Amino acid sequence: NAGVTQTPKFRVLKTGQSMTLLCAQDMNHEYMYWYRQDPGMGLRLIHYSVGEGTTAKGEVPDGYNVSRLKKQNFLLGLESAAPSQTSVYFCASSRGAAWGNEQFFGPGTRLTVL
Amino acid sequence: ELKVEQNPLFLSMQEGKNYTIYCNYSTTSDRLYWYRQDPGKSLESLFVLLSNGAVKQEGRLMASLDTKARLSTLHITAAVHDLSATYFCAVHSGGGADGLTFGKGTHLIIQP
């Protein structure tokens, strides 16, 4: 099993450009999450999904959109990138609350917005 | 709003010594998680603590949870260089699928 994978691993954007980050998991997990990590800080939740076709806002959702059209994939979109969105983005998945909601993380995407 | 505070945020220690990292959180929760992150890498799950009084051990690391005090500890016994990393605690505040609220992390350096 590959676990949680993310593409791309690195990306540089100019202000105003758009892009989509892809997260895929092969563990048949119901829940999926997007976090961002900034220097000296823990991770902060952007959006999450409790199942195919559902999404919800986290702590820092502004400037991002998400979609979960298939159970195994969770997409994070930036419609008009800003320098404040320079960060490392981590996707995570979990089996669900009944199993302790332990989250498993992908390798991360390092995004720089110039 | 749930707040999670770790201390210390930075710790330099010698091999062979013992030390404890503390994680305090501000609202009621019975689920707490510890993760390890190596530089430039992803987060690795270390411990999942799901009830008051839970204690888990793996090698030289031991984690405990006191939900009444809203406190978790990560104890390192006879530290070795390979344990150098950043350690995060995270709390699950919701009853459903809410994400985790993380502390800022403890950057641990273990000197030979």
Side-chain angles (χ1 to χ4, degrees):
Chain A
N1 288 348
V4 181
T5 59
Q6 293 182 230
T7 53
K9 288 185 169 51
F10 302 93
R11 186 73 185 268
V12 178
L13 291 179
K14 294 181 180 178
T15 297
Q17 288 185 318
S18 63
M19 78 164 294
T20 300
L21 283 67
L22 170 64
C23 175
Q25 53 93 5
D26 61 1
M27 297 177 282
N28 201 33
H29 285 173
E30 287 294 332
Y31 300 168
M32 296 187 74
Y33 306 85
W34 277 107
Y35 294 88
R36 61 177 288 174
Q37 184 178 32
D38 300 299
M41 299 185 69
L43 280 68
R44 291 182 292 167
L45 182 65
I46 304 172
H47 286 280
Y48 64 98
S49 168
V50 301
E52 184 177 318
T54 72
T55 62
K57 294 181 180 180
E59 179 187 355
V60 289
D62 293 343
Y64 305 96
N65 56 74
V66 289
S67 65
R68 185 135 180 237
L69 300 180
K70 293 183 179 180
K71 184 177 182 179
Q72 63 268 35
N73 295 337
F74 195 27
L75 305 179
L76 178 70
L78 287 73
E79 291 187 346
S80 179
S84 60
Q85 294 177 304
T86 293
S87 188
V88 181
Y89 292 85
F90 287 99
C91 176
S93 71
S94 76
R95 193 175 174 188
W99 289 271
N101 207 22
E102 181 181 12
Q103 297 185 16
F104 298 89
F105 285 81
T109 295
R110 188 173 297 273
L111 174 67
T112 302
V113 183
L114 302 175
Chain B
E1 178 189 353
L2 173 60
K3 293 191 183 299
V4 180
E5 292 188 356
Q6 286 181 240
N7 70 83
L9 297 181
F10 182 83
L11 176 59
S12 179
M13 56 191 292
Q14 289 184 319
E15 280 191 328
K17 299 292 186 182
N18 303 333
Y19 209 83
T20 301
I21 299 170
Y22 297 89
C23 175
N24 291 90
Y25 53 97
S26 61
T27 64
T28 302
S29 176
D30 59 358
R31 300 179 181 210
L32 190 135
Y33 308 80
W34 284 96
Y35 287 88
R36 168 181 173 149
Q37 186 178 38
D38 292 301
K41 303 294 186 182
S42 185
L43 280 78
E44 173 191 356
S45 179
L46 293 175
F47 299 109
V48 179
L49 303 171
L50 299 178
S51 61
N52 186 42
V55 178
K56 290 195 174 180
Q57 183 163 5
E58 180 72 34
R60 300 175 187 273
L61 301 177
M62 183 174 71
S64 65
L65 177 62
D66 181 343
T67 59
K68 294 179 181 178
R70 298 177 186 170
L71 171 68
S72 179
T73 61
L74 180 66
H75 187 72
I76 303 159
T77 301
V80 293
H81 178 67
D82 286 351
L83 291 178
S84 297
T86 299
Y87 293 86
F88 291 95
C89 67
V91 177
H92 180 257
S93 59
D98 293 356
L100 301 177
T101 299
F102 282 79
K104 291 187 176 181
T106 297
H107 184 48
L108 175 63
I109 296 176
I110 300 171
Q111 314 267 14

